[in-house]
Amino acid sequence: MDRLTTDTRGSCQSIPNSCRVLTVHGSMDEMVPVEDAMEYAKNVPNHKLQIIEGADHEFTLHQDELSSVVVAFVKAGLGGNYMAMPSQSCKRTSGYIRSRF
């Protein structure tokens, strides 16, 4: 209900041009249509939309691709000023992580 009552266009226009925005959406998302992400992308300045083919709302079986997209976006924003090798605490030690985003 919250999503349906939100003025998406107005909210998008309140985002400063200096703010980089990443939207990652699954093409098979049955909770939020991919068209909503496309509409959002039209109204947000400095926006990158990445649609992951075959991914559902929780990116089941697409966690690695989701992680890669997010990490690449963050690294690009840092302009190369990041650690080249992740610390041991950043490495995955088990199977897929369930996302609630």
Side-chain angles (χ1 to χ4, degrees):
M1 287 305 294
D2 186 43
R3 185 175 66 82
L4 296 175
T5 59
T6 299
D7 175 13
T8 303
R9 187 180 182 120
S11 297
C12 292
Q13 291 173 340
S14 70
I15 298 171
N17 290 343
S18 60
C19 181
R20 295 173 62 241
V21 177
L22 171 65
T23 300
V24 185
H25 203 96
S27 68
M28 301 302 287
D29 189 334
E30 293 181 0
M31 295 186 82
V32 180
V34 72
E35 292 80 15
D36 284 9
M38 291 176 185
E39 189 62 31
Y40 181 73
K42 288 181 197 174
N43 294 298
V44 177
N46 207 7
H47 184 270
K48 176 178 174 68
L49 172 61
Q50 180 71 46
I51 298 172
I52 297 180
E53 291 300 321
D56 61 15
H57 188 71
E58 294 184 346
F59 297 91
T60 307
L61 304 178
H62 294 272
Q63 292 290 310
D64 289 339
E65 190 173 356
L66 173 63
S67 299
S68 294
V69 168
V70 172
V71 168
F73 181 80
V74 171
K75 283 183 176 182
L78 294 173
N81 189 13
Y82 55 87
M83 295 184 326
M85 297 297 292
S87 69
Q88 287 298 95
S89 65
C90 295
K91 292 184 178 179
R92 182 183 302 173
T93 58
S94 61
Y96 290 104
I97 301 168
R98 293 193 51 113
S99 171
R100 288 288 181 200
F101 301 123

